[in-house]
Amino acid sequence: MDVSPILDPLNEAQRDAVSASVGNTLVLAGAGSGKTRVLVHRIAWLLTVEEATPWSVLAVTFTNKAAKEMRGRIEELLGQPIGGMWVGTFHGLAHRLLRAHWKEAGLPQSFQILDSDDQFRMIKRILKSLDLDDAKWPPRQVQWFINGKKDEGLRAQHLDDGGDPYQHQMIRIYTEYQAACERGGMVDFAELLLRAHELWRDRADILQHYQARFRHVLVDEFQDTNAIQYAWLRLLTRGQDNLFVVGDDDQSIYGWRGAQVENIRNFEQNCSNSRMFKLEQNYRSTGNILNAANALIGNNPSRLGKQLWTADGEGDPINLYSAFNEVDEARFVIERIRQFISDGNSRSESAILYRTSAQSRIFEEALVQSAIPYRVYGGLRFFERAEIRDAMAYLRLLNNPDDDAAFERAVNMPPRGIGPKTVDAVRAHARDFNVSLWVATAELLKGGAMPRRAANSLQGFLDLVEELRIDTAALDLPEKVEQVLAASRLPEHFEKSRDGKGQDRKENLEELVNATRQFGYEAHADEEMDELSSFLSHAALEAGEAQGDPFEDCVQLMTLHSAKGLEFPLVFLVGVEEGLFPHSMSADDPERLEEERRLCYVGVTRAMQTLYMSHAESRRLHGQENYPRPSRFLREIPSSLMREIRSGPQVTQPLYSKPARAYTDESVGFSLGQRVIHPKFGEGVVLNAEGQGRSARVQVNFETEGSKWLVVAYANLSPC
DNA sequence: GATTTAGACATTTTT
DNA sequence: TGTCTAAATC
């Protein structure tokens, strides 16, 4: 058998991992070391050398994008489709299991997926029905609590309040929420995983079937698994030693949402007969960038340990820019990007990475001003748009009239004279008789106690949905959607709204028809669901691409979290300041501080050729002027790898933020932005000056001591 | 039922 | 300081 296409493109470490005998295997894959490649080639190896059938392979990822990429690359390598293989996200695969075993999982056959927004609204409704003030019990916090518990595999009945009234109330809300989900046949994201786990845990026969089927289980980004995902994998592979996982403990940046680094750190202790392979050769970045990354991450005490290296050259040093303030920082970055572009590079080869999404605004303004196209990652995605959700609500009602979330959304959208009072009456009836909003409406109308106007509107709504269901029953999906849209009158409603977005919204609705057509072309035949339910699940599980034309050549703006897995020739890591990065919310806890450092490591290793890091001496945050010190992460990178870029005095002038002011105040003797040294406080930058003669004072931002006002006559400052 | 205004609040996000 | 939500008003 010729295995050369599988092994030849690999380096030695990769080859060892790919060709390892079947057994529990951990591949510790550093940034840019060919992680996906190993996974893909390993599967190809199993299918050829180990003679595994596609049927016997399960490969799990976290995002739909990663799943799609993996499938595509395997098929490309093998030159044939891999039909029977299960490749998907944890949630997608759990969903598939639950569809196949809905009865055993205790779900109605027509169960619906509740996405985050539906879940949020559902929680708000529960709070209202429990008569709880949502100022005191913020729905976001409740959502966080419930999902957190589910991610740990805990149901409300497992929880103990320990006498704490806060916990007690949260558990009560959790209980009510779960009951409401069950009444409506709703399953939220975390519930998918939890149910799938319980299914296998409680039904030995079903578990055995899958254990017998999946002889090979592979996991991508293993450091991001949470407790329930891990438990699910352990059940499936129990006693089989067939778990092959790839990940990097140094890139674990989702601890805050339940990911457990311990899963990868303790892999060898937890799994029998396990081996570890380290991939340390990096194919992405220059030597200087890797050395910086290695030095930085070396400050984290608890690691599995690994050193990235490259066979290529050292490259340029890392550029460090100390901006006067955040405006100057943006100005500097955009200026460098402009140069980069005029040197003949494309805009999409450059990226601006920041810790918090609020930081994007100032860069966007500067880019707009320079007329440079850009794209911000992580906005609203297609199926999250209000108009799309409105239209989907009608489709959901066709599928299942008891879908309360859909009912609430559609009942007065477009407005048809069903106000909050009317809806409240329906809600009250639904609660009292423990029925869905749809049934409650029908009952109220039959009772005849409704005011005439409201009754007419409600009847009209019920009739509309009912007629649509009958009329479109035989149509295929795109036609169905087209007819539903027309009957809902949503397009007209958006069209006549004149907030400038009306046309866009109407076009998005047309795009929805396209999406259903596209969906029809893709293979979803193996599922035993009708086309509409299948599409609804798809919409919930895969929210689609974010806005923005991905084909246009744009400067890329994103948070460090969303940059994981990407690479760019030119990277700007901005706002590298204490309080912002590491973020003040993480500063007190050593574990979270380590995660911040890993985040910085992720950021640094995104850069292929050139990396700029910048911090500002002064930054406006929440309307307040701050004088942050440079981040400790900057000090953790050896200065021999860095090149400081000093701005000339002409650029220290804040461009638009402050009224023009003299640079050099002769009476003070120092200029703004100038670097000075103080015998006790060390080096710093002059931020501000006031007064004259003996009372003249300057504000200096010291690297170690922070910002201080000093009287020039006594301070013994000297330029440096 | 749309538009205006006041108030809260401000890590990171995929499914 | 800017954004988002909810109440208040036309």
Side-chain angles (χ1 to χ4, degrees):
Chain A
M1 182 182 317
D2 184 18
V3 294
S4 54
I6 299 175
L7 294 184
D8 284 0
L10 305 176
N11 68 33
E12 205 182 325
Q14 292 170 338
R15 203 175 300 144
D16 288 346
V18 163
S19 61
S21 58
V22 175
N24 289 330
T25 309
L26 163 62
V27 180
L28 195 59
S33 66
K35 166 176 75 77
T36 311
R37 165 173 288 222
V38 163
L39 219 34
V40 165
H41 285 243
R42 171 65 175 182
I43 290 173
W45 173 269
L46 292 171
L47 295 179
T48 54
V49 179
E50 299 287 342
E51 295 177 328
T53 62
W55 177 259
S56 68
V57 176
L58 178 82
V60 201
T61 65
F62 277 87
T63 64
N64 292 299
K65 196 175 148 211
K68 225 171 261 170
E69 191 194 339
M70 195 186 305
R71 180 173 280 275
R73 281 174 67 170
I74 298 167
E75 292 182 340
E76 192 188 352
L77 181 61
L78 293 172
Q80 54 179 317
I82 40 163
M85 194 181 298
W86 279 30
V87 181
T89 63
F90 278 101
H91 293 86
L93 297 175
H95 173 243
R96 197 164 170 179
L97 275 176
L98 295 178
R99 286 287 174 207
H101 304 284
W102 53 272
K103 211 177 236 165
E104 297 89 337
L107 290 168
Q109 184 169 19
S110 61
F111 75 86
Q112 302 265 307
I113 300 174
L114 211 59
D115 70 20
S116 312
D117 189 63
D118 293 328
Q119 183 186 39
F120 182 76
R121 287 158 183 268
M122 173 88 112
I123 287 167
K124 276 175 99 165
R125 265 181 279 138
I126 300 293
L127 290 170
K128 201 169 243 173
S129 78
L130 290 175
D131 213 22
L132 291 170
D133 181 5
D134 58 0
K136 213 174 156 223
W137 302 96
R140 285 262 163 255
Q141 214 164 305
V142 175
Q143 190 177 22
W144 183 262
F145 176 88
I146 293 174
N147 289 337
K149 294 304 173 195
K150 287 191 175 188
D151 282 345
E152 290 176 50
L154 297 169
R155 295 214 170 271
Q157 62 266 27
H158 301 139
L159 297 172
D160 176 27
D161 60 23
D164 179 349
Y166 174 83
Q167 290 287 320
H168 180 82
Q169 192 66 280
M170 281 296 190
I171 295 167
R172 179 167 161 241
I173 302 168
Y174 183 3
T175 309
E176 281 301 312
Y177 164 80
Q178 195 56 40
C181 284
E182 261 150 57
R183 231 178 290 130
M186 303 298 204
V187 175
D188 61 48
F189 288 134
E191 185 76 17
L192 286 169
L193 302 175
L194 193 47
R195 288 259 176 180
H197 176 255
E198 289 169 349
L199 174 72
W200 279 350
R201 186 197 61 194
D202 301 336
R203 293 294 303 253
D205 53 331
I206 294 174
L207 176 61
Q208 268 162 24
H209 169 259
Y210 287 101
Q211 283 180 332
R213 168 170 176 180
F214 293 121
R215 312 305 310 174
H216 305 284
V217 180
L218 301 96
V219 188
D220 189 20
E221 304 277 19
F222 189 66
Q223 77 282 351
D224 289 338
T225 49
N226 66 28
I228 195 76
Q229 290 159 340
Y230 183 72
W232 185 78
L233 289 169
R234 288 310 297 265
L235 273 180
L236 179 61
T237 59
R238 193 168 55 197
Q240 307 224 70
D241 293 351
N242 59 349
L243 185 57
F244 187 98
V245 307
V246 177
D248 181 0
D249 58 331
D250 291 333
Q251 291 189 72
S252 162
I253 56 174
Y254 287 111
W256 52 275
R257 66 177 199 213
Q260 304 186 136
V261 220
E262 303 77 46
N263 293 158
I264 192 167
R265 292 222 178 109
N266 303 333
F267 184 85
E268 291 197 285
Q269 290 94 292
N270 295 343
C271 297
S272 51
N273 306 316
S274 63
R275 292 147 306 176
M276 174 165 73
F277 297 92
K278 287 186 186 180
L279 307 183
E280 297 175 296
Q281 181 173 3
N282 173 290
Y283 295 95
R284 178 186 293 156
S285 312
T286 65
N288 275 326
I289 291 169
L290 296 181
N291 290 339
N294 284 330
L296 176 79
I297 201 68
N299 289 282
N300 274 1
S302 40
R303 308 169 54 215
L304 285 169
K306 129 181 96 32
Q307 282 273 321
L308 296 177
W309 61 276
T310 176
D312 297 339
E314 295 297 289
D316 291 334
I318 287 154
N319 302 288
L320 175 63
Y321 181 67
S322 305
F324 187 81
N325 60 20
E326 73 277 10
V327 179
D328 179 40
E329 182 182 47
R331 194 220 91 252
F332 171 80
V333 169
I334 274 60
E335 186 47 44
R336 293 288 160 134
I337 289 177
R338 207 208 299 260
Q339 273 173 33
F340 180 73
I341 297 167
S342 70
D343 289 346
N345 299 289
S346 61
R347 294 183 278 264
S348 60
E349 288 178 321
S350 63
I352 305 172
L353 310 182
Y354 34 79
R355 174 68 240 267
T356 68
S357 37
Q359 287 167 261
S360 78
R361 202 184 46 85
I362 190 136
F363 291 95
E364 292 186 61
E365 283 169 7
L367 285 161
V368 166
Q369 206 151 55
S370 305
I372 300 173
Y374 65 92
R375 174 177 174 204
V376 183
Y377 274 63
L380 269 192
R381 278 139 357 135
F382 184 72
F383 286 108
E384 291 169 351
R385 290 159 189 283
E387 62 274 20
I388 298 301
R389 298 187 69 90
D390 290 335
M392 295 293 289
Y394 283 86
L395 294 172
R396 285 165 60 176
L397 284 175
L398 291 196
N399 190 242
N400 167 20
D402 298 328
D403 185 335
D404 286 356
F407 185 96
E408 292 244 10
R409 188 150 194 130
V411 70
N412 201 32
M413 192 65 198
R416 52 171 68 84
I418 301 172
K421 261 191 110 158
T422 310
V423 179
D424 269 340
V426 175
R427 284 198 201 103
H429 184 92
R431 199 178 317 142
D432 294 345
F433 294 88
N434 199 20
V435 292
S436 68
L437 295 173
W438 178 271
V439 173
T441 306
E443 288 179 2
L444 280 171
L445 287 173
K446 224 175 274 165
M450 278 251 136
R452 183 154 308 136
R453 267 176 90 107
N456 282 339
S457 303
L458 281 172
Q459 190 63 56
F461 178 64
L462 292 194
D463 292 347
L464 173 71
V465 175
E466 201 52 49
E467 277 164 28
L468 268 175
R469 195 211 326 277
I470 294 161
D471 293 351
T472 65
L475 299 179
D476 69 11
L477 190 56
E479 289 172 338
K480 195 177 278 191
V481 175
E482 246 170 306
Q483 197 164 329
V484 168
L485 281 178
S488 72
R489 306 184 62 79
L490 281 169
E492 291 95 315
H493 171 253
F494 289 122
E495 194 174 28
K496 71 177 180 232
S497 86
R498 38 176 179 64
D499 60 353
K501 289 189 189 141
Q503 197 57 36
D504 281 357
R505 295 214 156 112
K506 197 177 155 237
E507 282 166 19
N508 281 331
L509 289 178
E510 282 156 21
E511 192 53 38
L512 180 62
V513 180
N514 266 332
T516 58
R517 214 165 273 138
Q518 186 60 41
F519 179 76
Y521 296 144
E522 290 162 14
H524 299 276
D526 56 338
E527 289 159 51
E528 313 136 38
M529 303 151 73
D530 63 274
E531 221 182 354
L532 178 56
S533 331
S534 178
F535 181 68
L536 292 174
S537 300
H538 165 83
L541 284 172
E542 195 166 349
E545 277 294 304
Q547 191 191 23
D549 188 350
F551 303 108
E552 204 193 346
D553 181 27
C554 287
V555 174
Q556 314 285 90
L557 273 69
M558 66 194 81
T559 63
L560 285 157
H561 283 89
S562 30
K564 194 172 78 157
L566 305 177
E567 58 180 28
F568 309 93
L570 173 63
V571 167
F572 295 87
L573 189 40
V574 301
V576 190
E577 296 146 25
E578 288 294 310
L580 192 57
F581 192 28
H583 200 276
S584 51
M585 307 285 287
S586 306
D588 39 352
D589 177 356
E591 297 228 332
R592 305 185 72 186
L593 195 69
E594 282 188 41
E595 185 156 307
E596 295 276 320
R597 190 174 281 110
R598 294 194 289 266
L599 192 55
C600 189
Y601 174 80
V602 166
V604 168
T605 53
R606 295 313 94 193
M608 302 165 81
Q609 300 298 325
T610 312
L611 172 64
Y612 283 87
M613 298 175 86
S614 61
H615 67 94
E617 302 289 349
S618 138
R619 180 180 297 274
R620 231 190 155 94
L621 255 181
H622 316 317
Q624 286 237 290
E625 209 70 45
N626 287 75
Y627 304 102
R629 284 172 296 145
S631 171
R632 68 194 76 187
F633 300 150
L634 292 173
R635 270 180 281 128
E636 291 170 2
I637 297 174
S639 53
S640 58
L641 303 173
M642 302 258 241
R643 169 170 62 200
E644 275 195 65
I645 298 174
R646 291 285 166 76
S647 55
Q650 75 280 1
V651 294
T652 54
Q653 169 77 19
L655 284 183
Y656 353 84
S657 65
K658 289 180 179 173
R661 189 196 300 157
Y663 275 120
T664 307
D665 192 328
E666 306 223 326
S667 59
V668 175
F670 294 99
S671 54
L672 301 186
Q674 182 176 20
R675 292 188 73 83
V676 292
I677 189 158
H678 182 274
K680 200 158 131 211
F681 302 142
E683 280 189 44
V685 173
V686 178
L687 292 177
N688 217 336
E690 64 173 35
Q692 288 185 336
R694 291 199 58 79
S695 64
R697 304 193 309 145
V698 288
Q699 185 185 23
V700 181
N701 191 27
F702 290 103
E703 267 159 32
T704 48
E705 306 290 315
S707 162
K708 288 185 187 304
W709 280 99
L710 302 169
V711 176
V712 179
Y714 303 111
N716 196 11
L717 284 172
S718 44
C720 74

